[in-house]
Amino acid sequence: MKGREVILLEIIVFVAGATTMILEIFGLSMIIPYFGNALTVTSNLIGIVLIGLAIGYWYGGIKADQSDPKGSLRWVLEKTAIFVGIVLPFRDVV
């Protein structure tokens, strides 16, 4: 990869991670009315999100070594955007 592509990839990964953390805060606001604002609830949610990020980065690294990372990254980001867009309308149902 060229220098410019690496910088763009780093920006994409940073924004994806930051978006995940924003969704974590959104998820916390969804479960607070039912489970309260206790330290254990917050810690468990943060832990689950960080474990998910770690597994995703690990698995993504393996897949990027095996195939074309540009096509895979585009596919993952598109599907993730769809699922994130579905979350808001179903907030009260969940």
Side-chain angles (χ1 to χ4, degrees), residues 31-90:
I31 65 172
I32 282 177
Y34 304 103
F35 296 104
N37 195 10
L39 181 63
T40 54
V41 174
T42 306
S43 299
N44 283 325
L45 183 63
I46 290 171
I48 289 170
V49 169
L50 290 176
I51 288 171
L53 280 172
I55 291 171
Y57 289 144
W58 170 74
Y59 183 72
I62 291 173
K63 294 301 283 182
D65 288 341
Q66 295 174 353
S67 63
D68 175 35
K70 291 178 187 176
S72 299
L73 180 62
R74 183 180 304 118
W75 184 85
V76 168
L77 290 176
E78 287 172 355
K79 301 309 176 246
T80 303
I82 291 169
F83 286 124
V84 169
I86 292 173
V87 169
L88 187 59
F90 294 105

